[in-house]
Amino acid sequence: MGWHIHQMDVKTVFLNGVIEEEVYIEQPEGFEIFSSESHVCRLKRALYGLKQAPRAWYTRIDIYFTRLGFSKSEADPNLYQIVVEGKLLIIVLYVDDLILTGDELLILSWKDDLTKEFEMKDLGLLHYFLGLEIWQCSDGLFVSQGKYALEILEKFNMHGCKPVDTPLPGGWRKEDATSAEEVDATVYRQLVGSLIIWSIHNLIYAMLLTSFHKLWLSQPSSSGRQASMYCVI
Amino acid sequence: MVKPTKLFWKAGKHVLRYLRGTSGYGLWYRQEDEVKLCGFMDADWAGSPIDRKSTSGGVFSIRSTTISWYSSKQISVALSSAEAEYMAASLAACEAIWMRKILVGLFGSYL
């Protein structure tokens, strides 16, 4: 049995960030203090919409992980790992989403610790992430975009269409297409937009590795860190 | 995108037909004994009839399953197929070095 992948998210994530700059806001509507209407509020925490909110959050959680002994990957600043008594725990941070894998007991105990520090929701095993469906079974892991593909087909009333083997018809030339009869630009753009998102998701398979969010699921062999990785999303 | 014609719309619908046939596809990462990073790259030459730029492609896998892939038009015009290949090889090397770094960081230097 390999490792499982768990997911947690942080509630109202940006409110956790501590801001260092002096920022004032007007008193929020409905919460004005009577007879001191001219006063303003000084922010201690970041708010959504503040330029420094994402950075303030990252700094906060980075300090937290570092203080507790996690080491941050040199190759990716959102990848953290810790080894406790020979057992490995890997955490991938994606703004408010945390993805955890490694030793099952370590995962559970760290989930507790994280919940004490931040207000969090435990989503259990990872099923859905950035548009990808993820099935975890005993002998491996399957990643697909089937649900999203079917949604697009429904949207354009094509769920009953005849499938083809290639994404572009043979002999298709842009030059010929340009001179043909025009169609409704709005619907056409909707279609292109949906397909772009689909292909971005597609790329996310790749980006999970090649960009800021990636995850390695491994199965440690009996010789400890001679880990045999069996899976990468 | 400004003045789409019937033929563009047809091409878009063709992609939907392709999706219909492949919506069950996905990547299956099996539990295996060994981590072995493996990569391939290639380039065409002057593949774009409009600006004569070439395209770099690459695919990386660990054991039997793909973990990363790309196909992207090169930013400058390669004057020979060797030039096009060098650009593609350099891109693939960057990718490989980066992935190796992550693997070594996580699982030690056994790669």
Side-chain angles (χ1 to χ4, degrees):
Chain A
M1 193 65 190
W3 290 352
H4 285 122
I5 311 174
H6 292 249
Q7 183 180 20
M8 296 182 87
D9 72 37
V10 183
K11 294 178 185 167
T12 54
V13 61
F14 287 161
L15 305 189
N16 287 293
V18 181
I19 54 169
E20 283 154 18
E21 299 84 355
E22 229 182 287
V23 181
Y24 297 93
I25 59 165
E26 283 177 17
Q27 295 183 40
E29 221 179 297
F31 296 90
E32 297 95 346
I33 294 164
F34 182 68
S35 80
S36 331
E37 283 87 353
S38 61
H39 289 202
V40 289
C41 306
R42 174 161 182 192
L43 292 183
K44 292 182 173 169
R45 298 295 191 99
L47 282 182
Y48 280 78
L50 269 189
K51 266 195 177 155
Q52 54 269 70
R55 197 182 125 79
W57 158 242
Y58 177 74
T59 309
R60 167 91 195 273
I61 194 158
D62 181 59
I63 289 171
Y64 172 78
F65 281 143
T66 312
R67 185 164 47 84
L68 293 171
F70 278 85
S71 51
K72 176 158 61 175
S73 164
E74 253 182 67
D76 190 311
N78 290 293
L79 176 63
Y80 294 87
Q81 68 181 95
I82 192 169
V83 179
V84 183
E85 291 163 0
K87 304 264 169 64
L88 181 61
L89 173 72
I90 298 166
I91 296 185
V92 176
L93 178 65
Y94 188 71
V95 194
D96 60 342
D97 280 313
L98 287 169
I99 291 177
L100 305 93
T101 193
D103 180 78
E104 195 72 12
L105 291 173
L106 263 188
I107 295 177
L108 297 179
S109 80
W110 277 98
K111 273 186 176 177
D112 275 351
D113 290 349
L114 279 159
T115 314
K116 279 175 202 145
E117 180 76 11
F118 306 105
E119 220 185 303
M120 302 194 72
K121 198 159 122 197
D122 183 359
L123 299 167
L125 284 183
L126 179 67
H127 292 299
Y128 208 68
F129 188 61
L130 301 169
L132 302 179
E133 296 154 55
I134 292 134
W135 278 279
Q136 302 187 45
C137 21
S138 57
D139 51 349
L141 181 149
F142 186 72
V143 185
S144 128
Q145 291 176 285
K147 234 183 238 165
Y148 186 72
L150 293 176
E151 273 170 34
I152 305 180
L153 288 168
E154 294 265 328
K155 192 166 151 193
F156 294 95
N157 227 354
M158 293 280 284
H159 45 282
C161 71
K162 218 171 76 191
V164 292
D165 293 332
T166 54
L168 194 69
W172 194 89
R173 277 164 46 98
K174 203 177 162 189
E175 292 74 30
D176 303 336
T178 323
S179 53
E181 192 189 329
E182 279 179 38
V183 292
D184 182 356
T186 310
V187 189
Y188 176 74
R189 288 177 200 150
Q190 282 170 356
L191 173 58
V192 173
S194 300
L195 292 174
I196 288 174
I197 294 173
W198 171 76
S199 67
I200 288 172
H201 285 170
N202 219 324
L203 269 179
I204 285 171
Y205 288 137
M207 279 167 62
L208 278 163
L209 190 89
T210 61
S211 180
F212 291 105
H213 23 90
K214 89 212 92 307
L215 177 62
W216 306 89
L217 181 65
S218 90
Q219 187 215 8
S221 63
S222 49
S223 50
R225 288 206 73 198
Q226 267 279 332
S228 42
M229 191 169 89
Y230 86 86
C231 162
V232 182
I233 303 185
Chain B
M1 292 295 261
V2 181
K3 281 184 182 169
T5 62
K6 258 189 175 158
L7 282 170
F8 281 107
W9 178 247
K10 249 182 102 175
K13 288 217 295 197
H14 195 98
V15 181
L16 291 179
R17 291 206 173 85
Y18 173 71
L19 279 191
R20 169 101 164 88
T22 57
S23 62
Y25 287 20
L27 292 172
W28 172 232
Y29 297 101
R30 263 175 308 149
Q31 192 164 328
E32 282 167 34
D33 322 325
E34 199 193 344
V35 184
K36 203 173 167 194
L37 182 61
C38 182
F40 296 88
M41 52 67 55
D42 196 10
D44 70 346
W45 185 42
S48 169
I50 299 161
D51 56 15
R52 296 288 153 192
K53 282 177 182 169
S54 316
T55 299
S56 307
V59 59
F60 292 84
S61 57
I62 284 180
R63 273 300 186 101
S64 54
T65 310
T66 302
I67 52 167
S68 160
W69 64 89
Y70 54 85
S71 168
S72 58
K73 204 168 165 186
Q74 294 178 356
I75 49 170
S76 49
V77 180
L79 299 181
S80 65
S81 57
E83 254 182 38
E85 293 283 355
Y86 270 126
M87 282 192 239
S90 156
L91 187 67
C94 293
E95 186 78 1
I97 290 167
W98 181 74
M99 284 193 284
R100 202 185 145 91
K101 198 164 178 178
I102 287 185
L103 285 171
V104 170
L106 288 176
F107 303 111
S109 52
Y110 60 91
L111 283 170

